[in-house]
Amino acid sequence: MGVSESGVSGPRRRLVMGNWKMHGNLAGNAALLAGLRAGVDSVGNCEVAVCSPFPYLAQVQSILQGSAISWGAQDLSVHAQGAYTGEVSGAMLGDFACRWVLAGHSERRALHGETDQLVADKAAAALAAGLVPVVCVGETLDEQEAGRTDEVIARQLAPVLALGAQAVGQIVLAYEPVWAIGTGRTATPDQAQEVHAGIRALLSALGVPGVRVLYGGSVKAANAASLFAMPDIDGALVGGASLVAEEFLRIAAA
Ligand code: PEP
């Protein structure tokens, strides 16, 4: 039990979110989305969402509107508008009825130099635009092997938590160990739970224990149930396995 996204006390509803990364095309997306729409009613009490590349948001909106599946994007600008060639604002995402936007995915941090502060600024920009940011944190293999996981997560979260309880109470967090993303190597449920419990302690200290904390990193139908059995794992952010409708729905049903 805890404070939910809306600030109301209650159980944390499971959320399974697909991150398509830079995959997809119009024909393939249409088939994938039709499969998700057709099967989502069988997953039980789990919120299901997909985050597509920007150019496909209109297609995702047109196919998913009226369904139980919500959608979002994988990144946004910290700026509201202006001379920022190539960037996409939160308001633009709102025009396509996005509910979610990822902030600080490890691929953005590693390949695009996104800093902890920039990620927090993106989370704030998302909230200002009426979107729910899904803030991703996670340590690299070297950091994990050096026993620095907790320190890295705390450092990444610090500027996000500094946004304050009111803001943090509206976001979703995702713990994604970098060594588990796209590698087929998943954190064991106990390993993930330990980190999630540490994140929960930081959230509790801020007065927002009900914020949902997803796990991400090679989640599949075969390992989802054991991860979801952990008390502080509230769902999953799913990369590769979200590109196959049946597999993704099996994760949501787990
Ligand atoms: C991700 O992209 O956020 C992710 C967790 O990828 P994968 O499930 O493929 O490891």
Side-chain angles (χ1 to χ4, degrees):
M1 301 286 272
V3 179
S4 76
E5 239 179 72
S6 57
V8 178
S9 230
R12 300 185 301 269
R13 187 172 178 218
R14 184 172 304 153
L15 169 62
V16 168
M17 178 175 288
N19 171 18
W20 291 2
K21 310 197 190 206
M22 199 175 74
H23 292 293
N25 54 58
L26 286 172
N29 301 344
L32 172 57
L33 292 165
L36 294 179
R37 232 195 124 121
V40 70
D41 290 340
S42 63
V43 303
N45 187 25
C46 175
E47 203 170 347
V48 178
V50 295
C51 291
S52 82
F54 294 132
Y56 299 127
L57 286 171
Q59 180 193 27
V60 171
Q61 178 185 19
S62 100
I63 296 179
L64 293 184
Q65 63 195 348
S67 80
I69 307 170
S70 53
W71 58 92
Q74 301 167 17
D75 185 32
L76 83 165
S77 175
V78 292
H79 303 290
Q81 64 170 353
Y84 302 104
T85 301
E87 297 209 26
V88 174
S89 72
M92 292 171 183
L93 301 180
D95 275 346
F96 295 92
C98 287
R99 171 157 165 70
W100 316 97
V101 62
L102 305 184
H105 189 280
S106 62
E107 289 151 16
R108 302 286 322 165
R109 292 179 190 260
L111 304 174
H112 301 273
E114 294 198 1
T115 63
D116 301 333
Q117 185 59 56
L118 182 78
V119 172
D121 292 345
K122 288 190 171 191
L127 289 171
L131 305 166
V132 178
V134 179
V135 177
C136 307
V137 295
E139 82 285 7
T140 63
L141 184 58
D142 284 353
E143 289 163 342
Q144 194 232 18
E145 288 178 345
R148 294 182 48 219
T149 299
D150 291 349
E151 167 206 326
V152 169
I153 304 296
R155 190 208 71 217
Q156 291 174 331
L157 279 179
V160 178
L161 298 178
L163 296 174
Q166 210 210 345
V168 178
Q170 300 175 66
I171 76 176
V172 170
L173 296 179
Y175 168 56
E176 299 205 302
V178 178
W179 46 269
I181 296 181
T183 60
R185 240 185 105 182
T186 321
T188 65
D190 287 335
Q191 256 178 328
Q193 167 57 27
E194 194 180 328
V195 178
H196 280 238
I199 295 172
R200 185 81 55 210
L202 294 172
L203 293 168
S204 297
L206 191 65
V208 286
V211 168
R212 289 184 286 187
V213 185
L214 312 183
Y215 170 78
S218 298
V219 175
K220 314 180 223 10
N223 58 26
S226 57
L227 289 160
F228 296 163
M230 295 291 130
D232 289 303
I233 297 181
D234 303 318
L237 183 56
V238 183
S242 72
L243 300 173
V244 180
E246 196 186 320
E247 177 77 3
F248 186 54
L249 291 171
R250 281 172 62 211
I251 293 170

